[in-house]
Amino acid sequence: MTAMPDLGTFQPASPGLLRSTFRRHAAGVAVITARGACGPVGFTATSLTSVCADPPLVSFGVGTGASSWPAIAETEHVGVHILGEHQSDLAATFARSGADRFGAPTAWREGPEGVPVLDGVLAWLVCRVVGRVPAGDHRIVLAEVVLGDPTGVGRPLLYHQGRFGGLRD
């Protein structure tokens, strides 16, 4: 039998409530990349969502204060990379402000539409941006899949309780 929630301990809506709640939600980890005016840009995202299968659409959120936002705001194409549990260091690099995200040891190459494609990921997509929807201090980017490769080997990297980790059997 499941315990009933104690409705006497609720909290009013706040950024802290949202953060605390979503720390309990395990999410897959992706890196979003794009070609920027001054070189490649990218960031770690746990907000990646499959929106629709026909046409194939994905979405992700990006803060308008993020260093990658100016390139994402202007680009026609983005790369979406699903990270494996062996890539927690890569996820941390792309999450860290001021990091040299595309310097060694990051392995990548220029892919279709000039999008930076990361090596060793579980899957990657090149997507055409079809919308940028305002959402507070973020934008929700809608992107249509153009092509990709889902054949990487391994298990997915997850983000939970503020840490990167893998699945447990």
Side-chain angles (χ1 to χ4, degrees), residues 99-133:
D100 181 5
R101 296 172 178 158
F102 290 91
T106 302
W108 66 282
R109 61 200 179 305
E110 185 175 311
E113 304 296 342
V115 171
V117 175
L118 302 175
D119 292 345
V121 297
L122 298 187
W124 61 268
L125 302 168
V126 170
C127 303
R128 182 177 59 83
V129 175
V130 296
R132 295 171 184 88
V133 180

Side-chain angles (χ1 to χ4, degrees), residues 2 7 11 20 56 59 65 67-68 77 93 95 103 108 113 120 134 137 159 165:
T2 312
L7 298 180
Q11 300 174 25
S20 293
S59 71
S67 61
S68 297
H77 292 87
T93 296
W108 66 282
E113 304 296 342
D137 63 353
Y159 186 73

